[in-house]
Amino acid sequence: MRKYLGIFILAILLAGCSDDFLNVDNINNSTLQNYYRNADECEKAVISAYSPLATAYGGSNMQYMLYSFEKYTKVEVNLYEDFLFSTNDGRIRDCYMYLFRGVFRCNLALEVIHRTEGKTEVMSDGVQDSLAGEALFLRAMYYFYLKTLWGNVPLVTAMPVDPKFKYSNSEDDEIWDQMEKDLLGFTDDKMGFTYSGAINTLPAKWDVKFAGRATKGAAMALLGKIYLYRHKWTEAKTYFKKVMDLGVYSLSQPKGNDSTDYVYALLANSSYVDLISKSGNAYKAENNSESVFEIQFDDQGDDFPWLPGWFNSASLSSMYYGPFGYTNLGVRKTFVDLFTDLPEHPAGLLKDPRLSATVFSEGDTLYKDDKLVKWDVSLGFEEKYGLRKGFYPTIPQERIYHDPTNYRLIKYSDILLMYAEACMMEDGDWNAAPAEAVEAVNLLMRRAGLTEYFVLKKDDIIKERSKELGCENHRFFDLMRWYKAPEGQQWVTKPSDILGKNFKTLLPIPLYEIDVNFPNLEQNAGY
Amino acid sequence: MQKQTRFYWKTSFDDCIPQSLISLKSWFIMLSLIFVASLGYSQFKVSGVVTGAGDNQPIPGVSIAVKGTNVGNVTDVDGKYALDAPDPNVTLVFSFIGFTTQEVALAGQKNLDVVLQLSDVVIGDVVIIGYGSVKKDDLTGSVSVVGSEELTKSSAATLDRALQGRTSGVTIMQTSGKPGSGNTVKIRGVGSINMESEPLYVIDGVVTGGMNAVNPSDIESIQILKDASATAIYGARGANGVVLITTKRGKADKLEVSFSSYWSRTSTPKLIEVMNADQYASVMRESYDNYYTQEKTKRDTTVVKIYQDYYRDSVAGVLNGGELINTDWQKLITRPGFGQNYNLSLSGGTQKASFSVSGNWYSESGVLKSTGFNRTTFRANSDFTPVKWLKIGETFIYSRTNEDNQQGYNGNPWQIATVASPLMMPYDPDNLGGYGSMEVWKTGKNERTNPLAELELNDPSARGTRFLANLFTEIEFIKGLRYKLNFGTDFSMGHNRTWRPQYELAGIRDNFSPSLYESHSEFRMFLVENLLSYTNSFAGHSFTALVGHTTQQELATGFSATGEGFDDPNLNVMSQAQRRTNVSGYDTRHNIESFLGRVLYDYKGRYLVTASVRQDGSSRFSPGQKTGLFPSFSLGWKMNEDLFKSVKQINMMKLRFGWGKTGNENIGNYLYEDLLDAPNRQHYIFGTPQTLYYGASVCNSAAATSIKWEASSMTNAGLDLNLFDNRIQFIAEYFVKKQDSMLVRQPVSFVLGRNADGGQPWVNAGQVKNSGVEFNLIYKNKLGDFEYAVNTNFSYIKNKVVYLPNGIPITKGMTKTEEGGTIGAFYGFVAEGVFQNQEEIDKHADQTGNTQPGDLKFKDIDGDNVITDGDRTIIGSPIPKYIYGFNVDLNYKNFDFTIFLQGMAGFQLYNQQRGGIELGTDQNGKDENKTLALYENYWKPDRPSSEYTRLYPTDPNLNARTSSWWCENGSFLRIKAIQLGYSLPEKVTKILSVNRARFYGSASNVFTFTKYKGYDPEVSSSDVLASGIDGGSYPSPRVIMFGVQIDF
């Protein structure tokens, strides 16, 4: 009996193995290989390519850096304003990381859009081109920041295959060239595919339910900017003009003669709700006619606020810089001093309405939990003025880390000023801009109810950029552009006068990145 | 198409055996033939009874062998045996564990009764090795044994703490002094550069992870398999060593009831002296004065005024109802802790059935407020022998743990308490919730949250339920041929919950909307083992052969959610939440299938050979790389029987040598695929009105596409020496362990779109070598009533990275792993001292900051006269070279005394916490509090210092960078435990009708000899690339306890 039992068990023992047992299906995640089967799923790849931009800005690290470099704003007592930072600095590393994450997701989107195996439906050329156009626009946008802030970082235009690959620095103009190609179209030999380019494939305007997606105008504006930074004045002028001629954009104009009409028309460009002036005129705020490209935020989403675009759809700006959070930001007197008293104004304003649209000063009204509160100095951090742009009306305190305010990356007013700059640079006379440049700037003057220019000089454009786009994180890029212009064409020759003696033109490439790419990736000079 | 994974036995022969297994299959058949061939015929019947000397009780299970043949049998439950001897003049060999083996000439007797003598060393003489046991003397691998006596003496609540320092070659580091927290256990050094260098745990045959659910007083013995020849039987999971735990089982005809209990009081041995409000305000004032003096034009008095005006008001008592605000946060968040432990066990049985049951309740409140832990365990083991060839038994362990964990929502409270502003009031009735908050105009720019408020307001808890069971059936088909079916399961559930009521602590630390986080997880493991073994001996040869097949499946599921907005704080369940967010879940599985075989052979008990092989297949590896083969062998030679037979002083002298190959599969599941993130994790907003659109892209961990087994090979040589009637026992071992194609989490470029910490895919890379020696010396003696035993152990381990792909080092934050160095060596600048004047700064290399006198001077390693990242170098190693333990037991009449010391040496710790609080410059610019030592010594022109820096609100010279300034010698010697016990004399116990009653008092973590300046030199981390970095851990508390043990 026992022996038979033994033989029986032995038989089971020998049979007890199964090849399938070691192949376990994963029911938790889709994989790169089995997803992106149709247009809907490919569109999702593109949507996820937008969110690192929201994470970089909404997580406030980009803003923290840029505000610190501005010298019109002051962020706590920190070393950034003196350009002293460790190569291991967490904020700088995070920005670099989010921007490269954006590049990666664009590359992923481009690959899966054009992939043929595993597709369950054939995508029409139109859909394919439009999706690719968005990814190309975003890739150029991410590289714009990487190039201007970190210099010759690695240029990657395909999905990385080998995780152990050691990346090298790009050549001087390589990134600029690629950005132009992304926007204008090119043939990718590696993928064996010809891209028509973002400008040629994106719509001039999206259906209202897709407001905020990349458009033809945004792609043209970005290309114009690239030309401006590359000192290709004629091309820059041409593309800014194309944006102006699209017929899609216009300035947000005062609709009445009330003082609030003048201020709200401007403030609508940084507010999260539509504003209604005392005389009852409504001013559309987010995605209005002046908006060329803005990063979208809302106050919905999960409790965990730290990584917008990852868990959350809100930004942290209000918490860091708004009047009722940490209030880590103050506006310096040097900015306020740019604005002199007005001799006359249609609404009787004593100061340029762009000042009130930018700062809170003593006695200004704020909203705190539906109550009116006066701005007082103790709310500000060290500086007497608080930042109103982006923080008016203020966010309820319990939702302070759910800031829904869209971040306006490219505004039409910026296009007008850059157009004027390109015209002047092309023309070469810095003491009298061509008529089309004067007219572009005067559009802004008229909107604010200010005296128009007859003669527009270089210093006027510098000043108008500060006033019009004050505290919007453009200043550091402007100063760098003016400083890095070819010999004899520099508008700013010694940024150290403005930015301090330790001023450096580039940020350090994160130490982590230098270490993992050892020995191929070289650090920027001075670190 | 979803393929369902199966977990059942396939009965068809053809399609199920992978090609790679064919050879193993033929081994099976061959071995089966050997079993069948060994069935012999016999002519002469003999029978009798075997009893034990002393109590004259019959002994069941004694094996009787006919010398020189393979004929034999075992005694039944009544100690009776019957045997067919081939010849009436043979010699019979009687052997049984714990008794001296006896040879008796049969000389034609039909009835032969034998009395066996107890051998010198009882019970502990058998060592459990995986899937079987072996006599300690015959051991050829490297195995450390810790018995129940030793465990009892340590009075530790968790098993790993009880094991600490008990044996050589085992490093156990407490992860934290938090009640109920685990330890990291490393056997023979750090192997692979991965997070999981923990050994494998096997509890009563159930292969499982972790041992914290086991109550130490339930343990009969623990065997630690250290070398590969011993662990290779666990193949794929043996590379980091194996810990075998055997729980207590009932003994026949012996009813035992015992009760034990202890009560303890814990206290924090060390607090860090920081500045009080007065000192803080003055340091901050001076710091800002320096700033505005240096920056000249920027003078702004707002911040300085805070430290003047507010402080003055506070001193004047205007702000705090007449009292000076001077908060000592460390004192406020700590308290004395109390612990209690009750244990009741019952065991007994008959020859046919025996049992052992026990119950335990343990509770401890931590020295950190609102932390605590309690555990209830229940264990039942029983064995049945209904007929002599059949044995059925089971182990059943249930445990329930409850932990108030206080993870620190806004950081580690120990660290925050040292840096939070002493100008912040602990309580403030004006704030919602009632706790003082940080507000710039009051507490300065110090943004550290009130640590007390976080401890007392938030209510986090973690509950765990674990059920571990093992059921086995053992059938002896013919003499020596045994089949064992083992079914094990480990089932655990975890429930975490954090309730955060409504409160105001300023800024984002406010919690205006009450929230509830809840998660539930379930883990199920099933193990089926089929083992067939055959034991026989003939003409001086004896062997045990084992073949087996095992399958194991692990299923893990769970979900979690956060609820926000509760109208009534008393109704704090998820369904009362107005919004439910972050809802997520998972369901993963992990399968392992293995074949194993082993032969133990010895000739005349002098020449010993063990050889084993295991083939493991794991679902974790990429297709085509799923299986691995792990062979081993070891040899032993009892030299004394050949060479020194006449030398009476030598009781045993054995040389051992072994080699084996093991693996490591301790990585996550599904790593070889490029996984996409959950659909709701990536999104962006479009449209008016704004609408959330979901995206899809890869998740944060990069795929490890071609991941395969990590293989390590270990060579071990050892010498066992017992001298002077076994009074001296000495063990020496030498080992070399090489880890090839080790599993490494490689940091990858941001170009791959992942985070720095999350995007590190597993790759097979490089080779690490750990080599070392271990010594164990025991000396026992008795002088009249005075008995003493001294047990020392010492290990030396050298860790070396032999090879990395293309020679490229792996740099991870503060550590660097490079060829020729140790794993995770600290990597940073060399600080040479403090600049005393401008002249010194001018002479030195440019430090690229706004360097001022009073800043740190860093060494220009590459000699380019500028301090950049190229000047970093290796500044220390976190891996201890020397580990030692020293244990003395004294017994005098009814008194017993134990002292146990433990130490480690030859390593450094990176004191990151000190880097924050002992620096006059503040890298975060957040006005954090500092140490008293800094206050008394900081550098100023009229009071130069060579040890402390100047005061400044930011850190322009980057004094806080990773440097040798914060790298300290971590060596320590700790009086781990002292215990004094008294047992009632027999006269008294008889009156009380108990067998034994013992009372004891003990103290643990009594004193630590160390130069280390942090809370505690026992700093551990689960990440070997970031170990030894001390950010302010929960220190090991000092424990004073009183206990009682009563056996009825």
Side-chain angles (χ1 to χ4, degrees), chain B residues 153-414:
Chain B
K153 287 236 167 117
S154 73
S155 305
T158 58
L159 200 49
D160 35 16
R161 270 178 224 180
L163 275 178
Q164 214 169 8
R166 295 281 161 188
T167 97
S168 58
V170 182
T171 318
I172 298 176
M173 298 281 259
Q174 217 158 308
T175 44
S176 112
K178 194 172 75 174
S181 71
N183 291 21
T184 58
V185 178
K186 292 193 169 74
I187 293 172
R188 286 194 168 170
V190 176
S192 59
I193 306 190
N194 73 51
M195 307 215 196
E196 313 280 354
S197 10
E198 284 274 300
L200 181 75
Y201 296 94
V202 182
I203 301 170
D204 282 347
V206 182
V207 179
T208 183
M211 53 181 176
N212 264 354
V214 182
N215 170 17
S217 48
D218 282 345
I219 309 266
E220 180 63 40
S221 73
I222 295 174
Q223 342 275 322
I224 300 169
L225 311 185
K226 296 189 288 190
D227 80 324
S229 72
T231 63
I233 197 72
Y234 286 101
R237 289 166 293 173
N240 295 323
V242 180
V243 178
L244 302 172
I245 296 165
T246 313
T247 60
K248 287 175 180 165
R249 306 197 81 86
K251 295 183 186 86
D253 297 328
K254 207 173 168 194
L255 186 68
E256 281 176 348
V257 180
S258 65
F259 170 79
S260 66
S261 177
Y262 66 73
W263 299 270
S264 66
R265 183 184 190 276
T266 50
S267 55
T268 315
K270 187 174 176 182
L271 291 178
I272 290 169
E273 279 191 293
V274 294
M275 300 189 285
N276 62 25
D278 200 355
Q279 295 153 345
Y280 176 74
S282 89
V283 158
M284 291 305 152
R285 276 199 308 270
E286 192 173 328
S287 178
Y288 279 98
D289 278 345
N290 290 344
Y291 179 75
Y292 293 118
T293 308
Q294 191 179 313
E295 304 288 309
K296 284 170 198 126
T297 53
K298 291 185 188 167
R299 190 164 188 91
D300 181 325
T301 52
T302 325
V303 176
V304 180
K305 272 167 72 79
I306 297 163
Y307 298 111
Q308 269 163 356
D309 299 353
Y310 179 76
Y311 176 66
R312 203 163 37 234
D313 289 349
S314 157
V315 173
V318 181
L319 292 163
N320 193 28
E323 275 186 52
L324 172 66
I325 302 172
N326 180 16
T327 310
D328 182 345
W329 292 108
Q330 288 181 89
K331 215 168 153 187
L332 269 173
I333 63 164
T334 53
R335 63 175 179 195
F338 291 95
Q340 46 187 323
N341 187 45
Y342 303 93
N343 204 67
L344 183 66
S345 67
L346 178 67
S347 73
T350 66
Q351 299 293 352
K352 291 207 166 190
S354 64
F355 72 96
S356 168
V357 292
S358 73
N360 165 264
W361 188 72
Y362 160 70
S363 154
E364 186 186 342
S365 58
V367 290
L368 181 67
K369 279 183 184 168
S370 295
T371 62
F373 178 78
N374 67 58
R375 181 188 65 204
T376 311
T377 59
F378 174 75
R379 176 188 56 90
N381 294 350
S382 46
D383 297 286
F384 304 93
T385 317
V387 283
K388 63 178 181 180
W389 51 271
L390 180 66
K391 193 174 170 191
I392 298 167
E394 116 279 309
T395 297
F396 174 106
I397 297 169
Y398 164 87
S399 81
R400 169 93 173 156
T401 55
N402 219 320
E403 189 186 346
D404 287 326
N405 45 9
Q406 292 299 350
Q407 302 278 335
Y409 195 78
N410 286 316
N412 173 358
W414 289 101

Side-chain angles (χ1 to χ4, degrees), chain A residues 145-183:
Chain A
Y145 289 107
L146 285 166
K147 175 70 185 173
T148 49
L149 291 170
W150 282 277
N152 296 338
V153 298
L155 175 65
V156 189
T157 53
M159 273 270 286
V161 181
D162 178 9
K164 289 189 250 178
F165 189 80
K166 308 289 173 192
Y167 292 89
S168 311
N169 305 72
S170 54
E171 298 296 323
D172 271 346
D173 280 330
E174 227 182 332
I175 291 178
W176 287 126
D177 292 345
Q178 184 60 46
M179 286 156 71
E180 287 181 17
K181 285 187 202 167
D182 285 351
L183 298 169

